[in-house]
Amino acid sequence: MNRKSGILMHISSLYNNYSCGNFGKSAYEFIDFLKKCGFTYWQVLPFCITDEHNSPYMSYSSIGGNMFFIDIEQLYKEGFITKDELLSSTQKTPFACEFQRLKEERFSLLLKASKRVTDKSVINDFIKKNKSISDCCEFMALKEANEGQPWNKWTITQPEPDTLFAWQFIQYIFHTQWEKLHIYANINGIKIIGDLPFYVSYDSCDVRNNTKQFLLDEDNKPSCVAGVPPDYFSEDGQLWGNPIYNWDYMKKDGYTWWKNRLSYMLTLFDGVRIDHFRAFSEYWAVPAGAKTAKEGKWYQGPANEMIDVIKEIAGDRLIIAENLGLIDSKVDDLLKYSDFPGMSVFQFGFDGNNANPHLPHNFKQNLVAYTGTHDNNTLLGFIWELDNYTRKAVLDYVGYSNEQWNNCYDTIIKTLFMSCADTVILPIQDIMGFGADTRLNIPGKADNNWSFRITKQQLDSIDTQKYKHMNHIYSR
């Protein structure tokens, strides 16, 4: 029996005094909280450097860490920043990430810290051993030198030395702090599930340094871009804009780029969720310049060959296949071939079809069941916004009869815990009973996402014994 449960919460949503969750004290306290509740997993979102819209799914590098996650209190303790510099970084609000302020202030603070390094040998050794991280640092330093322009418009080709070292310092500190936190989690019986975005951003180290791995035209611009056709989230589909992989070249190259990326991810985490898994079967490509994703079409992906590559790298570590959206028999066959657990989302279960795979009575054992994902409304927000007929159907399904339906989320969580799904993952908002105003992301909406944060008082208010008991009686 391998029944487990966990919480989905990104690092940025943690509490502290410095505008964004980080690898500091609150992260260790959150691990203690998970242990007290009897949870096994902490699932996070991508750790990469975010784009101008703060999305962890659009990054300047698929390998490399977000500097906002660095614990600056630890830097103060180690003498890299002053007391006044630490105090000047104190946040204005504890309830949301202050992304604009972080963009304006945090790098300059870390640049100052890097200039106080007296022995650079450890950092230099780290960079020499990690070529992909070295490439990320060079890319970010060159982007700074070229005033933030995308790489295909750069005119300056040599990074400024202090800026380059600052990024090397940032990556060294990021990975050192994370390694300590990860070890603490494992010692306390908590495993960390990371998240691997399927595609990468055009304006990224990945594309600039590996142009042959992507479908680009003679000017090194995407000839077609990624997206999905109309689905749960959008009647026009989603036009993501990422460059499409050149799978023919990748095959000839032995999938080296993917192997490096997967290996890196599985040094950071105990397991990984692969976003948009269905694109290994078939992917939706939209001509460059198209106005909506509706103008795209399906193309054959690498299928079983790529699964064999993933298995080779992952070994016995957990790989979760995000198989949501428009799924056909080819995707189902690929998932069976992989033997990876797929995903079911409770919120997707109530379309009137009793055979809907997202309904708990249709769950399989080899499955990760969610009340919702980072792209969904919160559970309470979902129930609140339903029409009366569908809301009654949901409440009847889980056996909740109280007229005060705004307290129904415990019953829904219990229903998932009772199910045969091996793993149940709950967004932090759902165990707190929070509404739609705490939603993390609305797909297709560029601004005002990703900023939700909890406070220590809110975390401390959760009844850990309730979840410990629930995990115990349902053998999770």
Side-chain angles (χ1 to χ4, degrees), residues 20 74 158 287 352:
C20 180
Q74 184 61 35
Q158 292 298 319

Side-chain angles (χ1 to χ4, degrees), residues 342-362:
M343 293 172 56
S344 281
V345 179
F346 180 82
Q347 293 186 30
F348 293 157
F350 298 91
D351 60 357
N353 176 12
N354 206 41
N356 188 313
H358 299 284
L359 288 171
H361 71 265
N362 294 320

Side-chain angles (χ1 to χ4, degrees), residues 59-78:
S59 175
Y60 299 123
S61 176
S62 66
I63 292 180
N66 188 336
M67 65 178 166
F68 301 156
F69 296 168
I70 289 174
D71 176 18
I72 60 174
E73 283 191 341
Q74 184 61 35
L75 293 185
Y76 164 68
K77 292 174 183 176
E78 293 174 0

Side-chain angles (χ1 to χ4, degrees), residues 212-231:
K212 292 182 180 180
Q213 307 275 1
F214 301 88
L215 294 178
L216 307 179
D217 63 21
E218 58 188 13
D219 296 320
N220 276 334
K221 294 181 180 179
S223 55
C224 54
V225 296
V228 288
D231 61 7

